[in-house]
Amino acid sequence: MTTSAPESAPVYPPAPTGLRRPGIIAVVVTAIVIGVTIWLGHPLVGVFFLVGVVGIFINAVAVRNVVGAIAAEANPHKKSLALNSAARLGAITVLALAAAFLVRPDGLGVMFGLAVGQVILVLNSVIPVMKGLRKQL
C-alpha cells in the first residue's frame, strides 16, 4: 500500500465496486426476512422486502453505467448526472410509496428492503476503505 508524504494529500484506498459480495449478503438477509415474515404470518412483507432490495441493486447498476457513460464523454457535465439521478430516485420513491400505501401494511416491506439494501451497499464500500485508512496511520 502506498502512503503519502507528510506534506502531500492522503492516498485513499480504492473502494470496491463489485456487487458479488453485497449480493450474497443481501440474499442471505432477504432469506432470513422472508422466513421471519412467513413465521409471523405476513409473507407479503417479505416479498415486498425482496422487491426493495432488488430495486436498490438495479439502481446501483444504473448508477455505475450512467457514471461510466458520463465520464467517458469529451465534456462531461454534472447537470446530466444530477438530472438522471433525480429522475431515477424519483421513480423508485414513487413506486415504493405506491406499494406502501396501496398494500398496507405489508407494502412497507419495500421501504425496509430499500433501506437495508442501501446499508449493505454502503457498508460494502466504506468498511474496506476505513480499514485501508487505518493501516496508513
Side-chain angles (χ1 to χ4, degrees):
M1 178 177 292
T2 59
T3 59
S4 57
E7 65 276 354
S8 67
V11 176
Y12 295 107
T17 57
L19 295 177
R20 179 177 291 137
R21 183 183 309 158
I24 292 168
I25 295 168
V27 166
V28 170
V29 169
T30 303
I32 291 169
V33 168
I34 289 174
V36 169
T37 59
I38 289 172
W39 181 68
L40 292 174
H42 290 277
L44 277 180
V45 174
V47 171
F48 282 114
F49 184 89
L50 174 65
V51 169
V53 171
V54 168
I56 279 299
F57 277 85
I58 290 171
N59 182 50
V61 170
V63 167
R64 190 168 46 187
N65 293 341
V66 168
V67 168
I70 291 175
E73 292 177 0
N75 190 11
H77 296 290
K78 293 179 191 177
K79 185 177 182 180
S80 58
L81 181 62
L83 290 174
N84 184 285
S85 295
R88 191 178 55 257
L89 294 176
I92 290 171
T93 302
V94 166
L95 293 173
L97 287 173
F101 283 115
L102 295 176
V103 190
R104 267 186 273 175
D106 294 339
L108 284 174
V110 173
M111 297 295 190
F112 293 120
L114 290 171
V116 170
Q118 190 65 41
V119 167
I120 290 169
L121 288 174
V122 168
L123 289 178
N124 182 63
S125 299
V126 170
I127 290 173
V129 172
M130 295 301 287
K131 285 181 180 178
L133 289 174
R134 191 176 317 139
K135 287 181 182 178
Q136 289 183 6
L137 298 175

